[in-house]
C-alpha cells in the first residue's frame, strides 16, 4: 500500500521514552503529572505511550479530546485545561474530572451542572501570577475561594498558574512562591485543605531541574517537552530526550527553474501580506502538496539541509531545492520537522494523514 501525502508520522515509542525522563523528574520532586497530548489531538497511541511512562492523569484543552481519551479506558483522572465554556458545562462535568477555573461564575455554572447530574466535580482555581492569560488576580483569590467553598457538588481541590504562554513570563522562585502564598491565603479564608498546587506547564521544568522549585508545588501539566523533546523557554533540546518523534512528509507536485523574485506590479498576497523577496537569481523550485490551511509553513524545517522553505499559499508549499542533497523529482517525498505550532495545525487538519510508526 502506497503511503499517502501529506502525512504526519508519529513515533509514540520515542515519545514514551521522553515522557519517562520528564515524569521521573517530576515524581522525584513529589509532584504528580498531567499528560498533555493536545498538540496531537490526543492521538490514542500517543496518550497510551504517556500513560505507560507513568502519567498520573490525562489533560487536554478540548473536551472532545477528553471524551476520546475517556473512551480509551485509561482509569486515570481527566483534566480540562481550557477555561470551561458555560454552554458546555454538562459535557464538561461528565467527561472532565477536574477543571481549571478563573472566575467564581464558572465555578457556579459547574456546580449547578454537577448538581443536576448528581456528581461532585473537582476544580482548581487559577491564579494570574504575571503572564496575563487566565487566572484570578492574587488579591481577589481568597474571596473567590471562600465563596467556592459553599457551592454544592463542587470541590475546590487547589490552585494553579499558567506561565510562558501569552506573556512569555518565565516560571521563577518568586512567582511560584507567590502561588504558594496565595494558596495559603485561600486555605485560611475558605477552610479548605487545597492540597494541589499546579505549577504550570513544560516551561516550569527548567526551574524544577535546577532544584529551586518550591517543595509545595506538587503538580505539573506537561506536553511539549515530552512530545518534541524541547526546552520551551528557548526551544533547545531537553537533556536526554529525543527530537525525532514527529515527521511531516509532503510530495513534490511541480518542479521548475524560476526567478526568485516575482515579475510585475505587486499588491498584497492572499493573506493580506506584503512580502519582500531576496533576489537569488534563477533557482530550482519545488511545490509540495501542503499549505497554510494545514500548518504554519514558517514552523516546518526541511530535514534535508539543502532545502529551504520560501513560503506558502493555502494549498501549496514553495521550496528552494537548488542545493538539495537528496534526489528531487516530480512525485518525490520531502520530509520536515514541525515545531509546536506547526504540529498543532497538522494534527488538527483533516487533510493530513496520521500515521503511527513503531520503534
Amino acid at each position: 500500500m502506497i503511503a499517502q501525502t501529506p502525512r504526519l508520522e508519529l513515533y509514540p515509542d520515542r515519545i514514551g521514552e521522553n515522557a519517562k525522563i520528564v515524569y521521573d523528574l517530576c515524581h522525584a520532586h513529589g509532584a504528580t503529572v498531567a499528560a498533555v497530548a493536545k498538540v496531537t489531538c490526543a492521538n490514542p497511541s500517543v496518550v497510551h505511550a504517556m500513560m505507560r511512562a507513568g502519567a498520573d492523569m490525562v489533560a487536554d484543552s478540548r473536551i472532545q479530546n477528553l471524551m476520546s481519551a475517556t473512551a480509551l479506558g485509561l482509569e486515570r483522572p481527566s483534566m480540562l485545561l481550557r477555561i470551561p465554556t458555560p454552554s458546555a458545562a454538562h459535557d464538561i462535568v461528565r467527561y472532565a474530572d477536574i477543571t481549571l477555573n478563573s472566575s467564581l461564575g464558572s465555578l457556579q455554572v459547574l456546580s449547578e451542572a454537577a448538581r443536576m447530574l448528581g456528581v461532585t466535580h473537582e476544580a482548581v482555581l487559577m491564579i494570574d501570577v504575571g503572564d496575563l492569560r487566565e487566572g484570578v488576580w492574587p488579591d481577589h483569590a481568597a474571596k473567590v475561594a471562600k465563596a467556592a467553598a459553599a457551592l454544592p457538588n463542587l470541590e475546590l481541590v487547589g490552585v494553579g498558574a499558567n506561565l510562558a504562554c501569552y506573556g512569555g513570563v518565565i516560571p521563577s522562585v518568586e512567582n511560584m512562591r507567590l502561588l504558594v502564598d496565595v494558596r495559603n491565603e485561600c486555605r485560611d479564608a475558605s477552610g479548605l485543605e487545597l492540597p494541589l498546587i499546579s505549577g504550570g506547564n513544560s516551561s516550569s521544568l527548567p526551574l524544577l531541574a535546577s532544584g529551586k522549585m518550591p517543595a509545595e508545588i506538587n503538580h505539573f501539566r506537561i506536553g511539549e517537552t515530552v512530545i518534541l523533546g524541547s526546552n520551551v523557554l528557548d526551544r533547545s533540546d531537553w537533556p536526554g530526550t529525543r527530537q525525532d518523534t514527529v515527521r511531516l512528509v509532503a510530495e513534490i507536485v511541480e518542479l521548475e527553474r524560476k526567478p526568485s523574485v516575482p515579475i510585475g506590479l505587486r499588491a498584497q498576497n492572499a493573506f493580506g501580506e506584503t512580502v519582500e523577496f531576496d533576489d537569488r537569481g534563477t533557482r530550482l523550485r519545488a511545490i509540495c502538496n501542503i499549505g497554510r490551511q494545514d500548518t504554519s509553513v514558517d514552523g516546518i524545517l526541511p530535514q534535508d539541509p539543502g532545502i529551504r522553505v520560501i513560503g506558502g499559499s493555502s494549498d501549496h508549499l514553495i521550496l528552494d531545492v537548488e542545493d538539495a542533497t537528496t534526489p528531487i523529482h516530480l512525485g518525490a517525498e520531502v520530509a520536515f520537522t514541525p515545531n509546536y505550532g506547526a504540529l498543532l495545525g497538522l494534527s488538527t487538519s483533516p487533510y493530513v494523514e496520521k500515521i503511527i510508526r513503531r520503534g
Side-chain angles (χ1 to χ4, degrees), residues 72-146:
L72 298 176
L74 302 175
E75 297 183 349
R76 287 178 176 85
S78 59
M79 171 180 277
L80 181 66
L81 302 175
R82 197 183 203 181
I83 299 172
T85 305
S87 61
H90 283 76
D91 281 341
I92 290 170
V93 168
R94 187 177 288 113
Y95 293 104
D97 298 306
I98 310 168
T99 53
L100 306 183
N101 293 265
S102 61
S103 70
L104 180 59
S106 292
L107 293 169
Q108 290 169 333
V109 170
L110 294 175
S111 168
E112 177 60 16
R115 186 192 66 78
M116 293 179 68
L117 292 173
V119 299
T120 298
H121 183 71
E122 295 184 351
V124 172
L125 180 62
M126 297 298 283
I127 311 300
D128 192 333
V129 295
D131 199 58
L132 300 184
R133 201 179 77 170
E134 81 273 28
V136 177
W137 204 246
D139 59 1
H140 297 161
K143 181 179 179 181
V144 174
K146 182 178 180 179

Side-chain angles (χ1 to χ4, degrees), residues 345-356:
L346 293 167
S347 298
T348 306
S349 174
Y351 308 111
V352 177
E353 188 81 5
K354 281 72 176 180
I355 302 292
I356 299 299

Side-chain angles (χ1 to χ4, degrees), residues 51-295:
M51 295 299 108
R52 288 193 297 269
D56 302 288
M57 62 179 67
V58 61
D60 206 287
S61 60
R62 309 293 168 135
I63 192 63
Q64 296 91 333
N65 291 345
L66 279 188
M67 291 166 68
S68 300
T70 301
L72 298 176
L74 302 175
E75 297 183 349
R76 287 178 176 85
S78 59
M79 171 180 277
L80 181 66
L81 302 175
R82 197 183 203 181
I83 299 172
T85 305
S87 61
H90 283 76
D91 281 341
I92 290 170
V93 168
R94 187 177 288 113
Y95 293 104
D97 298 306
I98 310 168
T99 53
L100 306 183
N101 293 265
S102 61
S103 70
L104 180 59
S106 292
L107 293 169
Q108 290 169 333
V109 170
L110 294 175
S111 168
E112 177 60 16
R115 186 192 66 78
M116 293 179 68
L117 292 173
V119 299
T120 298
H121 183 71
E122 295 184 351
V124 172
L125 180 62
M126 297 298 283
I127 311 300
D128 192 333
V129 295
D131 199 58
L132 300 184
R133 201 179 77 170
E134 81 273 28
V136 177
W137 204 246
D139 59 1
H140 297 161
K143 181 179 179 181
V144 174
K146 182 178 180 179
L151 295 175
N153 297 82
L154 186 131
E155 183 180 357
L156 193 63
V157 296
V159 300
N162 188 72
L163 290 159
C165 274
Y166 172 69
V169 175
I170 297 172
S172 65
V173 173
E174 290 75 22
N175 52 39
M176 288 295 98
R177 178 52 59 189
L178 172 60
L179 182 61
V180 174
D181 291 343
V182 172
R183 189 283 301 266
N184 293 339
E185 292 172 5
C186 290
R187 176 186 279 177
D188 292 341
S190 66
L192 299 173
E193 184 62 25
L194 304 178
L196 186 146
I197 307 182
S198 189
N201 51 36
S202 293
S203 66
S204 294
L205 293 175
L207 183 63
L208 181 62
S210 75
K212 298 178 181 178
M213 180 66 70
E216 295 91 340
I217 305 295
N218 59 10
H219 181 268
F220 299 99
R221 314 178 302 274
I222 307 297
E224 182 175 347
T225 298
V226 163
I227 293 177
L228 294 179
S230 60
N231 179 338
V232 304
L233 299 184
D234 59 9
R235 266 63 193 188
S236 60
D237 296 346
W238 185 260
T241 63
R242 305 179 62 143
Q243 289 69 50
D244 56 349
T245 52
V246 296
R247 190 171 83 133
L248 164 65
V249 179
E251 186 174 341
I252 295 176
V253 296
E254 179 187 300
L255 187 63
E256 293 284 343
R257 298 193 68 83
K258 296 184 181 181
S260 50
V261 176
I263 299 169
L265 295 175
R266 288 188 284 124
Q268 294 181 346
N269 65 14
F271 292 87
E273 301 164 339
T274 302
V275 182
E276 297 297 326
F277 296 88
D278 295 329
D279 190 351
R280 306 182 71 201
T282 299
R283 307 280 291 180
L284 185 62
R285 296 157 63 95
I287 295 179
C288 289
N289 62 333
I290 194 164
R292 292 168 71 165
Q293 187 168 348
D294 307 296
T295 190

Side-chain angles (χ1 to χ4, degrees), residues 2-55:
I2 299 175
Q4 296 183 7
T5 60
R7 66 178 182 271
L8 174 63
E9 298 179 348
L10 301 167
Y11 292 80
D13 297 332
R14 300 174 185 179
I15 292 171
E17 290 180 26
N18 289 354
K20 182 69 165 58
I21 290 170
V22 174
Y23 298 167
D24 283 353
L25 174 64
C26 296
H27 289 153
H29 180 74
T32 55
V33 185
V36 182
K38 69 177 183 179
V39 75
T40 67
C41 287
N43 182 280
S45 294
V46 173
V47 172
H48 276 302
M50 292 171 140
M51 295 299 108
R52 288 193 297 269

